[in-house]
Amino acid sequence: MLVGIAKLAAESERLESKRKVEYFELPARTILNRTKPGMPFRWSINPYRGCEFGCRYCYARYTHEFMELDAREFEDKIYAKAHTAELLRRELRKVAPDDGIAIGTATDPYQPAERRFGRTRAILEVFSHQRGRHLSITTKSDLVTRDLALLAEIKRSNALSVNMTITTLHTELARAIEVRAPRAERPLAAVAKLADAGISVGVFAHPVMPLITGWLERLDRLAAAAKKAGASYFGGGLLFLMPSAQKVFFPFLEERFPHLVKRYKERFEKNAYLRGPYREMIRDRVRTIRQRHGLSSSPADYQPELWLGEQLELFAS
Ligand code: SF4
């Protein structure tokens, strides 16, 4: 247990890092990506490729390999998609109003690049002129509250929910695993602000990491903090480790949790997804915790009053 200056140092917010990050503008032909059948949303939007937060487990590292880059460069070479608003305006014409659209499924839409390049904000501006859309945003960053007024505007005429991802309240552990992501107090403060503004907000403890963050007591404390902040739903999906993510996660385990290396390799080297009783146990654990804290599993969908008059018009557009 850290005390005194050691504790203060561990909890300090990073002011600046000397690590070299490069930003690029990526020409994009589309901004809306159709998801595979069975997903809870039909379309996804990721305004950036690469993510500076650099979570060791990040499954999206493979998207850098598509660009002939090393998965380890995922947090150092960040690509902002070009003309996001124009593309979205055009592509939304082909999207049915009740199709779910999820922003931030592969990279964080409020990662540091967003402060400078504003691609997520440009997308939200487009949605602020839409009616009857089903939109969700997933982020680890309290930068989402910069757009509070815009989100409130979107919410007036669309179903909107914000999923804040927090894997652990343990500051030191979070810093080791999610190297540059905001510590839990900040997304929790964002939950409170969003809830105060009447925006449907929940906390996802994704990914639950076996024998690291998956302990009952840790998840329970996280759910309690989420509820206290104003979250209405809570979830926790189990870690999966694709080969590109293993390249980063296994060296991290060797450094921080050497006693877990053998077990993780045995389970994940053959299959990125964990099967069997542990999976069921985590599912039951999260369900029990939800019930204990009066949290639901997903945002309650709702019908803003504005839809009633405008839905038919929307279908015709
Ligand atoms: S915040 Fe999300 S997208 Fe970014 S590195 Fe972490 S897991 Fe990947």
Side-chain angles (χ1 to χ4, degrees), residues 63-95:
T63 59
H64 260 40
E65 292 180 335
F66 289 159
M67 300 190 293
E68 302 289 328
L69 296 168
D70 190 292
R72 283 164 287 215
E73 291 181 289
F74 182 76
E75 58 248 50
D76 296 329
K77 290 189 183 340
I78 309 297
Y79 293 80
K81 293 184 186 169
H83 310 301
T84 46
E86 294 86 331
L87 285 169
L88 181 60
R89 261 192 292 273
R90 199 168 63 221
E91 290 175 39
L92 274 175
R93 292 187 202 128
K94 69 183 177 194
V95 175

PDB file of all heavy atoms in Angstrom, residues 63-95:
ATOM      1  N   THR A  63      -5.865  -3.399 -36.079  1.00  0.00           N
ATOM      2  CA  THR A  63      -6.222  -2.469 -37.154  1.00  0.00           C
ATOM      3  C   THR A  63      -4.979  -1.732 -37.679  1.00  0.00           C
ATOM      4  O   THR A  63      -4.964  -1.284 -38.812  1.00  0.00           O
ATOM      5  CB  THR A  63      -7.280  -1.435 -36.688  1.00  0.00           C
ATOM      6  OG1 THR A  63      -6.751  -0.701 -35.581  1.00  0.00           O
ATOM      7  CG2 THR A  63      -8.582  -2.104 -36.283  1.00  0.00           C
ATOM      8  N   HIS A  64      -3.944  -1.624 -36.851  1.00  0.00           N
ATOM      9  CA  HIS A  64      -2.690  -1.041 -37.342  1.00  0.00           C
ATOM     10  C   HIS A  64      -1.969  -2.032 -38.248  1.00  0.00           C
ATOM     11  O   HIS A  64      -1.263  -1.627 -39.169  1.00  0.00           O
ATOM     12  CB  HIS A  64      -1.800  -0.614 -36.170  1.00  0.00           C
ATOM     13  CG  HIS A  64      -1.877   0.869 -35.887  1.00  0.00           C
ATOM     14  ND1 HIS A  64      -3.040   1.569 -35.942  1.00  0.00           N
ATOM     15  CD2 HIS A  64      -0.910   1.789 -35.571  1.00  0.00           C
ATOM     16  CE1 HIS A  64      -2.813   2.849 -35.676  1.00  0.00           C
ATOM     17  NE2 HIS A  64      -1.522   3.008 -35.448  1.00  0.00           N
ATOM     18  N   GLU A  65      -2.140  -3.306 -37.971  1.00  0.00           N
ATOM     19  CA  GLU A  65      -1.490  -4.315 -38.820  1.00  0.00           C
ATOM     20  C   GLU A  65      -2.067  -4.284 -40.242  1.00  0.00           C
ATOM     21  O   GLU A  65      -1.367  -4.568 -41.197  1.00  0.00           O
ATOM     22  CB  GLU A  65      -1.628  -5.697 -38.182  1.00  0.00           C
ATOM     23  CG  GLU A  65      -0.804  -5.794 -36.906  1.00  0.00           C
ATOM     24  CD  GLU A  65      -0.890  -7.131 -36.202  1.00  0.00           C
ATOM     25  OE1 GLU A  65      -1.898  -7.843 -36.366  1.00  0.00           O
ATOM     26  OE2 GLU A  65       0.052  -7.455 -35.462  1.00  0.00           O
ATOM     27  N   PHE A  66      -3.341  -3.901 -40.354  1.00  0.00           N
ATOM     28  CA  PHE A  66      -3.927  -3.749 -41.700  1.00  0.00           C
ATOM     29  C   PHE A  66      -3.171  -2.696 -42.509  1.00  0.00           C
ATOM     30  O   PHE A  66      -3.189  -2.695 -43.727  1.00  0.00           O
ATOM     31  CB  PHE A  66      -5.392  -3.300 -41.623  1.00  0.00           C
ATOM     32  CG  PHE A  66      -6.330  -4.362 -41.125  1.00  0.00           C
ATOM     33  CD1 PHE A  66      -7.564  -4.034 -40.602  1.00  0.00           C
ATOM     34  CD2 PHE A  66      -5.998  -5.712 -41.194  1.00  0.00           C
ATOM     35  CE1 PHE A  66      -8.429  -5.002 -40.149  1.00  0.00           C
ATOM     36  CE2 PHE A  66      -6.852  -6.695 -40.739  1.00  0.00           C
ATOM     37  CZ  PHE A  66      -8.072  -6.337 -40.218  1.00  0.00           C
ATOM     38  N   MET A  67      -2.573  -1.733 -41.792  1.00  0.00           N
ATOM     39  CA  MET A  67      -1.858  -0.648 -42.477  1.00  0.00           C
ATOM     40  C   MET A  67      -0.354  -0.949 -42.553  1.00  0.00           C
ATOM     41  O   MET A  67       0.464  -0.049 -42.724  1.00  0.00           O
ATOM     42  CB  MET A  67      -2.105   0.683 -41.745  1.00  0.00           C
ATOM     43  CG  MET A  67      -3.582   1.075 -41.693  1.00  0.00           C
ATOM     44  SD  MET A  67      -3.888   2.760 -41.091  1.00  0.00           S
ATOM     45  CE  MET A  67      -3.391   2.659 -39.397  1.00  0.00           C
ATOM     46  N   GLU A  68      -0.023  -2.265 -42.366  1.00  0.00           N
ATOM     47  CA  GLU A  68       1.381  -2.701 -42.417  1.00  0.00           C
ATOM     48  C   GLU A  68       2.214  -2.033 -41.319  1.00  0.00           C
ATOM     49  O   GLU A  68       3.403  -1.752 -41.509  1.00  0.00           O
ATOM     50  CB  GLU A  68       2.017  -2.424 -43.793  1.00  0.00           C
ATOM     51  CG  GLU A  68       1.297  -3.082 -44.954  1.00  0.00           C
ATOM     52  CD  GLU A  68       1.477  -4.595 -44.976  1.00  0.00           C
ATOM     53  OE1 GLU A  68       2.539  -5.072 -44.546  1.00  0.00           O
ATOM     54  OE2 GLU A  68       0.527  -5.292 -45.382  1.00  0.00           O
ATOM     55  N   LEU A  69       1.568  -1.736 -40.195  1.00  0.00           N
ATOM     56  CA  LEU A  69       2.295  -1.180 -39.054  1.00  0.00           C
ATOM     57  C   LEU A  69       2.350  -2.243 -37.963  1.00  0.00           C
ATOM     58  O   LEU A  69       1.529  -3.171 -37.943  1.00  0.00           O
ATOM     59  CB  LEU A  69       1.568   0.059 -38.506  1.00  0.00           C
ATOM     60  CG  LEU A  69       1.484   1.260 -39.453  1.00  0.00           C
ATOM     61  CD1 LEU A  69       0.501   2.292 -38.914  1.00  0.00           C
ATOM     62  CD2 LEU A  69       2.859   1.904 -39.607  1.00  0.00           C
ATOM     63  N   ASP A  70       3.280  -2.074 -37.036  1.00  0.00           N
ATOM     64  CA  ASP A  70       3.367  -3.011 -35.929  1.00  0.00           C
ATOM     65  C   ASP A  70       2.259  -2.694 -34.929  1.00  0.00           C
ATOM     66  O   ASP A  70       1.952  -1.518 -34.690  1.00  0.00           O
ATOM     67  CB  ASP A  70       4.741  -2.840 -35.262  1.00  0.00           C
ATOM     68  CG  ASP A  70       5.010  -3.944 -34.262  1.00  0.00           C
ATOM     69  OD1 ASP A  70       4.317  -3.994 -33.218  1.00  0.00           O
ATOM     70  OD2 ASP A  70       5.899  -4.759 -34.530  1.00  0.00           O
ATOM     71  N   ALA A  71       1.668  -3.733 -34.342  1.00  0.00           N
ATOM     72  CA  ALA A  71       0.591  -3.526 -33.358  1.00  0.00           C
ATOM     73  C   ALA A  71       1.057  -2.649 -32.197  1.00  0.00           C
ATOM     74  O   ALA A  71       0.256  -1.967 -31.559  1.00  0.00           O
ATOM     75  CB  ALA A  71       0.105  -4.873 -32.836  1.00  0.00           C
ATOM     76  N   ARG A  72       2.371  -2.674 -31.929  1.00  0.00           N
ATOM     77  CA  ARG A  72       2.887  -1.871 -30.810  1.00  0.00           C
ATOM     78  C   ARG A  72       2.937  -0.383 -31.134  1.00  0.00           C
ATOM     79  O   ARG A  72       3.147   0.438 -30.256  1.00  0.00           O
ATOM     80  CB  ARG A  72       4.271  -2.378 -30.398  1.00  0.00           C
ATOM     81  CG  ARG A  72       4.196  -3.669 -29.583  1.00  0.00           C
ATOM     82  CD  ARG A  72       5.514  -4.363 -29.514  1.00  0.00           C
ATOM     83  NE  ARG A  72       5.821  -4.960 -30.798  1.00  0.00           N
ATOM     84  CZ  ARG A  72       6.461  -6.119 -30.967  1.00  0.00           C
ATOM     85  NH1 ARG A  72       6.866  -6.793 -29.929  1.00  0.00           N
ATOM     86  NH2 ARG A  72       6.708  -6.589 -32.174  1.00  0.00           N
ATOM     87  N   GLU A  73       2.741  -0.051 -32.420  1.00  0.00           N
ATOM     88  CA  GLU A  73       2.727   1.371 -32.809  1.00  0.00           C
ATOM     89  C   GLU A  73       1.334   1.989 -32.680  1.00  0.00           C
ATOM     90  O   GLU A  73       1.134   3.155 -32.999  1.00  0.00           O
ATOM     91  CB  GLU A  73       3.213   1.518 -34.251  1.00  0.00           C
ATOM     92  CG  GLU A  73       4.692   1.200 -34.412  1.00  0.00           C
ATOM     93  CD  GLU A  73       5.143   1.373 -35.852  1.00  0.00           C
ATOM     94  OE1 GLU A  73       4.748   0.544 -36.702  1.00  0.00           O
ATOM     95  OE2 GLU A  73       5.881   2.330 -36.118  1.00  0.00           O
ATOM     96  N   PHE A  74       0.402   1.175 -32.244  1.00  0.00           N
ATOM     97  CA  PHE A  74      -1.002   1.595 -32.153  1.00  0.00           C
ATOM     98  C   PHE A  74      -1.173   2.893 -31.341  1.00  0.00           C
ATOM     99  O   PHE A  74      -2.013   3.732 -31.645  1.00  0.00           O
ATOM    100  CB  PHE A  74      -1.787   0.457 -31.491  1.00  0.00           C
ATOM    101  CG  PHE A  74      -3.245   0.672 -31.356  1.00  0.00           C
ATOM    102  CD1 PHE A  74      -4.090   0.551 -32.450  1.00  0.00           C
ATOM    103  CD2 PHE A  74      -3.809   0.978 -30.122  1.00  0.00           C
ATOM    104  CE1 PHE A  74      -5.458   0.736 -32.315  1.00  0.00           C
ATOM    105  CE2 PHE A  74      -5.167   1.162 -29.984  1.00  0.00           C
ATOM    106  CZ  PHE A  74      -5.994   1.039 -31.088  1.00  0.00           C
ATOM    107  N   GLU A  75      -0.366   3.050 -30.289  1.00  0.00           N
ATOM    108  CA  GLU A  75      -0.512   4.245 -29.443  1.00  0.00           C
ATOM    109  C   GLU A  75       0.420   5.389 -29.830  1.00  0.00           C
ATOM    110  O   GLU A  75       0.377   6.448 -29.221  1.00  0.00           O
ATOM    111  CB  GLU A  75      -0.321   3.899 -27.967  1.00  0.00           C
ATOM    112  CG  GLU A  75       1.006   3.277 -27.616  1.00  0.00           C
ATOM    113  CD  GLU A  75       0.836   1.823 -27.182  1.00  0.00           C
ATOM    114  OE1 GLU A  75       0.176   1.051 -27.909  1.00  0.00           O
ATOM    115  OE2 GLU A  75       1.359   1.485 -26.118  1.00  0.00           O
ATOM    116  N   ASP A  76       1.286   5.169 -30.845  1.00  0.00           N
ATOM    117  CA  ASP A  76       2.256   6.196 -31.235  1.00  0.00           C
ATOM    118  C   ASP A  76       1.969   6.832 -32.587  1.00  0.00           C
ATOM    119  O   ASP A  76       2.461   7.907 -32.891  1.00  0.00           O
ATOM    120  CB  ASP A  76       3.662   5.589 -31.285  1.00  0.00           C
ATOM    121  CG  ASP A  76       4.109   5.128 -29.914  1.00  0.00           C
ATOM    122  OD1 ASP A  76       3.691   5.737 -28.923  1.00  0.00           O
ATOM    123  OD2 ASP A  76       4.863   4.142 -29.834  1.00  0.00           O
ATOM    124  N   LYS A  77       1.235   6.135 -33.412  1.00  0.00           N
ATOM    125  CA  LYS A  77       0.870   6.677 -34.735  1.00  0.00           C
ATOM    126  C   LYS A  77      -0.649   6.757 -34.781  1.00  0.00           C
ATOM    127  O   LYS A  77      -1.342   5.742 -34.881  1.00  0.00           O
ATOM    128  CB  LYS A  77       1.400   5.776 -35.850  1.00  0.00           C
ATOM    129  CG  LYS A  77       2.914   5.813 -36.000  1.00  0.00           C
ATOM    130  CD  LYS A  77       3.311   5.069 -37.250  1.00  0.00           C
ATOM    131  CE  LYS A  77       4.777   4.944 -37.537  1.00  0.00           C
ATOM    132  NZ  LYS A  77       5.734   5.793 -36.968  1.00  0.00           N
ATOM    133  N   ILE A  78      -1.133   7.983 -34.690  1.00  0.00           N
ATOM    134  CA  ILE A  78      -2.583   8.186 -34.587  1.00  0.00           C
ATOM    135  C   ILE A  78      -3.087   8.800 -35.895  1.00  0.00           C
ATOM    136  O   ILE A  78      -2.542   9.802 -36.380  1.00  0.00           O
ATOM    137  CB  ILE A  78      -2.919   9.152 -33.411  1.00  0.00           C
ATOM    138  CG1 ILE A  78      -2.234   8.694 -32.115  1.00  0.00           C
ATOM    139  CG2 ILE A  78      -4.434   9.287 -33.242  1.00  0.00           C
ATOM    140  CD1 ILE A  78      -2.644   7.362 -31.572  1.00  0.00           C
ATOM    141  N   TYR A  79      -4.103   8.215 -36.435  1.00  0.00           N
ATOM    142  CA  TYR A  79      -4.661   8.661 -37.721  1.00  0.00           C
ATOM    143  C   TYR A  79      -6.044   9.257 -37.493  1.00  0.00           C
ATOM    144  O   TYR A  79      -6.955   8.574 -36.994  1.00  0.00           O
ATOM    145  CB  TYR A  79      -4.760   7.471 -38.688  1.00  0.00           C
ATOM    146  CG  TYR A  79      -3.396   6.956 -39.082  1.00  0.00           C
ATOM    147  CD1 TYR A  79      -2.681   6.115 -38.229  1.00  0.00           C
ATOM    148  CD2 TYR A  79      -2.809   7.344 -40.277  1.00  0.00           C
ATOM    149  CE1 TYR A  79      -1.409   5.666 -38.565  1.00  0.00           C
ATOM    150  CE2 TYR A  79      -1.537   6.897 -40.627  1.00  0.00           C
ATOM    151  CZ  TYR A  79      -0.849   6.070 -39.766  1.00  0.00           C
ATOM    152  OH  TYR A  79       0.409   5.636 -40.101  1.00  0.00           O
ATOM    153  N   ALA A  80      -6.186  10.528 -37.835  1.00  0.00           N
ATOM    154  CA  ALA A  80      -7.499  11.187 -37.743  1.00  0.00           C
ATOM    155  C   ALA A  80      -8.151  11.093 -39.112  1.00  0.00           C
ATOM    156  O   ALA A  80      -7.538  11.462 -40.127  1.00  0.00           O
ATOM    157  CB  ALA A  80      -7.315  12.647 -37.342  1.00  0.00           C
ATOM    158  N   LYS A  81      -9.359  10.584 -39.159  1.00  0.00           N
ATOM    159  CA  LYS A  81     -10.020  10.419 -40.458  1.00  0.00           C
ATOM    160  C   LYS A  81     -10.437  11.783 -41.013  1.00  0.00           C
ATOM    161  O   LYS A  81     -10.899  12.647 -40.267  1.00  0.00           O
ATOM    162  CB  LYS A  81     -11.217   9.486 -40.323  1.00  0.00           C
ATOM    163  CG  LYS A  81     -10.770   8.064 -40.002  1.00  0.00           C
ATOM    164  CD  LYS A  81     -11.901   7.083 -39.951  1.00  0.00           C
ATOM    165  CE  LYS A  81     -11.371   5.734 -39.483  1.00  0.00           C
ATOM    166  NZ  LYS A  81     -12.446   4.788 -39.159  1.00  0.00           N
ATOM    167  N   ALA A  82     -10.266  11.925 -42.312  1.00  0.00           N
ATOM    168  CA  ALA A  82     -10.555  13.212 -42.962  1.00  0.00           C
ATOM    169  C   ALA A  82     -12.038  13.315 -43.326  1.00  0.00           C
ATOM    170  O   ALA A  82     -12.689  12.301 -43.578  1.00  0.00           O
ATOM    171  CB  ALA A  82      -9.695  13.334 -44.229  1.00  0.00           C
ATOM    172  N   HIS A  83     -12.540  14.525 -43.340  1.00  0.00           N
ATOM    173  CA  HIS A  83     -13.891  14.842 -43.833  1.00  0.00           C
ATOM    174  C   HIS A  83     -14.987  14.026 -43.145  1.00  0.00           C
ATOM    175  O   HIS A  83     -15.932  13.564 -43.792  1.00  0.00           O
ATOM    176  CB  HIS A  83     -13.976  14.625 -45.352  1.00  0.00           C
ATOM    177  CG  HIS A  83     -12.865  15.299 -46.102  1.00  0.00           C
ATOM    178  ND1 HIS A  83     -12.658  16.662 -46.029  1.00  0.00           N
ATOM    179  CD2 HIS A  83     -11.883  14.800 -46.893  1.00  0.00           C
ATOM    180  CE1 HIS A  83     -11.593  16.970 -46.764  1.00  0.00           C
ATOM    181  NE2 HIS A  83     -11.109  15.872 -47.289  1.00  0.00           N
ATOM    182  N   THR A  84     -14.846  13.814 -41.848  1.00  0.00           N
ATOM    183  CA  THR A  84     -15.792  12.936 -41.148  1.00  0.00           C
ATOM    184  C   THR A  84     -17.223  13.463 -41.233  1.00  0.00           C
ATOM    185  O   THR A  84     -18.156  12.695 -41.476  1.00  0.00           O
ATOM    186  CB  THR A  84     -15.385  12.786 -39.662  1.00  0.00           C
ATOM    187  OG1 THR A  84     -15.078  14.077 -39.147  1.00  0.00           O
ATOM    188  CG2 THR A  84     -14.201  11.888 -39.490  1.00  0.00           C
ATOM    189  N   ALA A  85     -17.407  14.770 -41.032  1.00  0.00           N
ATOM    190  CA  ALA A  85     -18.773  15.318 -41.018  1.00  0.00           C
ATOM    191  C   ALA A  85     -19.443  15.185 -42.392  1.00  0.00           C
ATOM    192  O   ALA A  85     -20.585  14.739 -42.498  1.00  0.00           O
ATOM    193  CB  ALA A  85     -18.744  16.777 -40.572  1.00  0.00           C
ATOM    194  N   GLU A  86     -18.703  15.531 -43.446  1.00  0.00           N
ATOM    195  CA  GLU A  86     -19.271  15.459 -44.806  1.00  0.00           C
ATOM    196  C   GLU A  86     -19.656  14.025 -45.150  1.00  0.00           C
ATOM    197  O   GLU A  86     -20.726  13.759 -45.694  1.00  0.00           O
ATOM    198  CB  GLU A  86     -18.268  15.973 -45.853  1.00  0.00           C
ATOM    199  CG  GLU A  86     -17.931  17.444 -45.759  1.00  0.00           C
ATOM    200  CD  GLU A  86     -16.784  17.739 -44.775  1.00  0.00           C
ATOM    201  OE1 GLU A  86     -16.607  16.992 -43.793  1.00  0.00           O
ATOM    202  OE2 GLU A  86     -16.075  18.729 -44.984  1.00  0.00           O
ATOM    203  N   LEU A  87     -18.752  13.097 -44.828  1.00  0.00           N
ATOM    204  CA  LEU A  87     -19.030  11.687 -45.117  1.00  0.00           C
ATOM    205  C   LEU A  87     -20.273  11.225 -44.366  1.00  0.00           C
ATOM    206  O   LEU A  87     -21.145  10.557 -44.922  1.00  0.00           O
ATOM    207  CB  LEU A  87     -17.840  10.815 -44.688  1.00  0.00           C
ATOM    208  CG  LEU A  87     -16.600  10.852 -45.568  1.00  0.00           C
ATOM    209  CD1 LEU A  87     -15.432  10.150 -44.872  1.00  0.00           C
ATOM    210  CD2 LEU A  87     -16.884  10.158 -46.895  1.00  0.00           C
ATOM    211  N   LEU A  88     -20.332  11.601 -43.090  1.00  0.00           N
ATOM    212  CA  LEU A  88     -21.453  11.147 -42.261  1.00  0.00           C
ATOM    213  C   LEU A  88     -22.780  11.674 -42.786  1.00  0.00           C
ATOM    214  O   LEU A  88     -23.759  10.920 -42.908  1.00  0.00           O
ATOM    215  CB  LEU A  88     -21.232  11.589 -40.809  1.00  0.00           C
ATOM    216  CG  LEU A  88     -22.319  11.163 -39.832  1.00  0.00           C
ATOM    217  CD1 LEU A  88     -22.456   9.642 -39.790  1.00  0.00           C
ATOM    218  CD2 LEU A  88     -22.037  11.696 -38.432  1.00  0.00           C
ATOM    219  N   ARG A  89     -22.808  12.965 -43.098  1.00  0.00           N
ATOM    220  CA  ARG A  89     -24.056  13.555 -43.609  1.00  0.00           C
ATOM    221  C   ARG A  89     -24.558  12.767 -44.832  1.00  0.00           C
ATOM    222  O   ARG A  89     -25.725  12.446 -44.942  1.00  0.00           O
ATOM    223  CB  ARG A  89     -23.831  15.018 -43.989  1.00  0.00           C
ATOM    224  CG  ARG A  89     -24.312  15.978 -42.899  1.00  0.00           C
ATOM    225  CD  ARG A  89     -24.349  17.409 -43.392  1.00  0.00           C
ATOM    226  NE  ARG A  89     -23.014  17.928 -43.628  1.00  0.00           N
ATOM    227  CZ  ARG A  89     -22.256  18.512 -42.698  1.00  0.00           C
ATOM    228  NH1 ARG A  89     -22.720  18.682 -41.492  1.00  0.00           N
ATOM    229  NH2 ARG A  89     -21.045  18.947 -42.994  1.00  0.00           N
ATOM    230  N   ARG A  90     -23.627  12.420 -45.705  1.00  0.00           N
ATOM    231  CA  ARG A  90     -24.004  11.699 -46.929  1.00  0.00           C
ATOM    232  C   ARG A  90     -24.442  10.268 -46.607  1.00  0.00           C
ATOM    233  O   ARG A  90     -25.471   9.805 -47.077  1.00  0.00           O
ATOM    234  CB  ARG A  90     -22.788  11.686 -47.865  1.00  0.00           C
ATOM    235  CG  ARG A  90     -23.134  11.386 -49.299  1.00  0.00           C
ATOM    236  CD  ARG A  90     -21.968  11.658 -50.216  1.00  0.00           C
ATOM    237  NE  ARG A  90     -20.827  10.800 -49.925  1.00  0.00           N
ATOM    238  CZ  ARG A  90     -19.549  11.209 -49.922  1.00  0.00           C
ATOM    239  NH1 ARG A  90     -19.255  12.454 -50.188  1.00  0.00           N
ATOM    240  NH2 ARG A  90     -18.568  10.372 -49.670  1.00  0.00           N
ATOM    241  N   GLU A  91     -23.675   9.605 -45.725  1.00  0.00           N
ATOM    242  CA  GLU A  91     -23.940   8.184 -45.488  1.00  0.00           C
ATOM    243  C   GLU A  91     -25.167   7.943 -44.626  1.00  0.00           C
ATOM    244  O   GLU A  91     -25.776   6.881 -44.697  1.00  0.00           O
ATOM    245  CB  GLU A  91     -22.717   7.540 -44.827  1.00  0.00           C
ATOM    246  CG  GLU A  91     -21.547   7.431 -45.772  1.00  0.00           C
ATOM    247  CD  GLU A  91     -20.302   6.904 -45.064  1.00  0.00           C
ATOM    248  OE1 GLU A  91     -20.409   6.015 -44.221  1.00  0.00           O
ATOM    249  OE2 GLU A  91     -19.221   7.435 -45.349  1.00  0.00           O
ATOM    250  N   LEU A  92     -25.532   8.925 -43.815  1.00  0.00           N
ATOM    251  CA  LEU A  92     -26.699   8.728 -42.943  1.00  0.00           C
ATOM    252  C   LEU A  92     -27.975   8.515 -43.742  1.00  0.00           C
ATOM    253  O   LEU A  92     -28.942   7.941 -43.239  1.00  0.00           O
ATOM    254  CB  LEU A  92     -26.874   9.934 -42.003  1.00  0.00           C
ATOM    255  CG  LEU A  92     -26.076   9.870 -40.700  1.00  0.00           C
ATOM    256  CD1 LEU A  92     -26.244  11.166 -39.921  1.00  0.00           C
ATOM    257  CD2 LEU A  92     -26.462   8.670 -39.841  1.00  0.00           C
ATOM    258  N   ARG A  93     -27.971   8.954 -44.987  1.00  0.00           N
ATOM    259  CA  ARG A  93     -29.176   8.782 -45.819  1.00  0.00           C
ATOM    260  C   ARG A  93     -29.517   7.310 -46.009  1.00  0.00           C
ATOM    261  O   ARG A  93     -30.662   6.965 -46.236  1.00  0.00           O
ATOM    262  CB  ARG A  93     -28.967   9.445 -47.187  1.00  0.00           C
ATOM    263  CG  ARG A  93     -28.898  10.954 -47.076  1.00  0.00           C
ATOM    264  CD  ARG A  93     -28.864  11.612 -48.453  1.00  0.00           C
ATOM    265  NE  ARG A  93     -28.277  12.945 -48.322  1.00  0.00           N
ATOM    266  CZ  ARG A  93     -27.272  13.415 -49.038  1.00  0.00           C
ATOM    267  NH1 ARG A  93     -26.748  12.689 -49.997  1.00  0.00           N
ATOM    268  NH2 ARG A  93     -26.799  14.623 -48.838  1.00  0.00           N
ATOM    269  N   LYS A  94     -28.499   6.439 -45.911  1.00  0.00           N
ATOM    270  CA  LYS A  94     -28.773   5.017 -46.141  1.00  0.00           C
ATOM    271  C   LYS A  94     -29.071   4.269 -44.832  1.00  0.00           C
ATOM    272  O   LYS A  94     -29.285   3.066 -44.831  1.00  0.00           O
ATOM    273  CB  LYS A  94     -27.597   4.357 -46.863  1.00  0.00           C
ATOM    274  CG  LYS A  94     -26.356   4.238 -46.016  1.00  0.00           C
ATOM    275  CD  LYS A  94     -25.173   3.656 -46.776  1.00  0.00           C
ATOM    276  CE  LYS A  94     -23.948   3.650 -45.881  1.00  0.00           C
ATOM    277  NZ  LYS A  94     -22.694   3.422 -46.553  1.00  0.00           N
ATOM    278  N   VAL A  95     -29.075   4.982 -43.709  1.00  0.00           N
ATOM    279  CA  VAL A  95     -29.244   4.326 -42.413  1.00  0.00           C
ATOM    280  C   VAL A  95     -30.674   4.493 -41.917  1.00  0.00           C
ATOM    281  O   VAL A  95     -31.178   5.621 -41.830  1.00  0.00           O
ATOM    282  CB  VAL A  95     -28.256   4.939 -41.381  1.00  0.00           C
ATOM    283  CG1 VAL A  95     -28.492   4.369 -40.003  1.00  0.00           C
ATOM    284  CG2 VAL A  95     -26.830   4.686 -41.833  1.00  0.00           C
TER     285      VAL A  95
END
